[in-house]
Amino acid sequence: MRRAINTAILLLFVVSVAGFNGCLQDRETEVVLNDENCEAFDENRTSVGSPMLYTLDVAAEVNGLLADNDVSREQILEAFLVSASYEITDYPTLAQQSVWEIAGAITVERVGSGNPPDTLLNYTDYITVSRAAVGEKTCVTLEEGGVAVVNDALADYIAGSNDVVLLFTVAYGDIEPDPSASNPMIFSWEFCLFMQVLTTLETEIFQVF
């Protein structure tokens, strides 16, 4: 499941002009478009197991954001990854289920680039998964290499490329206690990327004189 939340912030101060003489003038205004892309995961593990993979079509994601806000690609000034977060969304009540301490990493690579993946998030400090953590969105510290991969993909999209797909790999390095058939690790969570796209917008400004 993928969830995207699109919002726009118009960087324009509106001033009351009642009682003043003036005229309308065209002016370019900078607009920030915010996009939050979330990927959901359902865990049911009896061992550390295999990593989980998911892709993000950057072109499709940004195209949707632009369409929602009636903006064209040519109006983009820049786009970049701002932050990332995770949230435990469900933790079933099972008599045998433990409170889990999890370490691992999330890597990102450009599909078709031939380059090895870069680390986006390295949670060597264990994260705690429990019923008490459900609904708490936690911001994470991102690694420069992974951020650069995402930002380079956004830059290529702005330059005109539509073949901009990122592959994310979620790998668990260690889980305490060890999940097993008698004590399975079962919970749901989501990982979210928050990106911003800076664009220009032609507006009419009332010029007072």
Side-chain angles (χ1 to χ4, degrees), residues 45-119:
R45 294 174 181 256
T46 57
S47 65
V48 172
S50 302
M52 297 171 291
L53 309 177
Y54 79 95
T55 58
L56 172 62
D57 187 328
V58 173
E61 182 74 13
V62 181
N63 281 339
L65 178 66
L66 298 180
D68 288 345
N69 292 279
D70 195 25
V71 177
S72 68
R73 187 188 308 205
E74 292 71 25
Q75 292 173 269
I76 299 177
L77 299 176
E78 60 179 327
F80 43 87
L81 175 63
V82 177
S83 63
S85 65
Y86 70 88
E87 180 181 342
I88 310 302
T89 55
D90 185 51
Y91 191 86
T93 302
L94 301 174
Q96 73 274 26
Q97 179 153 280
S98 303
V99 172
W100 305 101
E101 300 288 337
I102 302 173
I106 298 177
T107 63
V108 59
E109 60 188 286
R110 178 81 170 268
V111 174
S113 69
N115 296 324
D118 279 277
T119 300

Side-chain angles (χ1 to χ4, degrees), residues 109-186:
E109 60 188 286
R110 178 81 170 268
V111 174
S113 69
N115 296 324
D118 279 277
T119 300
L120 180 66
L121 167 62
N122 194 355
Y123 44 104
T124 51
D125 293 332
Y126 288 86
I127 61 173
T128 300
V129 177
S130 67
R131 173 158 291 279
V134 173
E136 293 184 4
K137 178 170 285 192
T138 302
C139 292
V140 296
T141 300
L142 298 177
E143 302 291 329
E144 290 183 1
V147 172
V149 173
V150 177
N151 287 344
D152 288 347
L154 289 167
D156 285 349
Y157 166 81
I158 295 172
S161 177
N162 290 310
D163 184 18
V164 193
V165 178
L166 298 174
L167 173 65
F168 295 85
T169 301
V170 182
Y172 292 149
D174 189 29
I175 302 174
E176 295 183 0
D178 293 332
S180 63
S182 60
N183 186 26
M185 185 177 73
I186 302 174

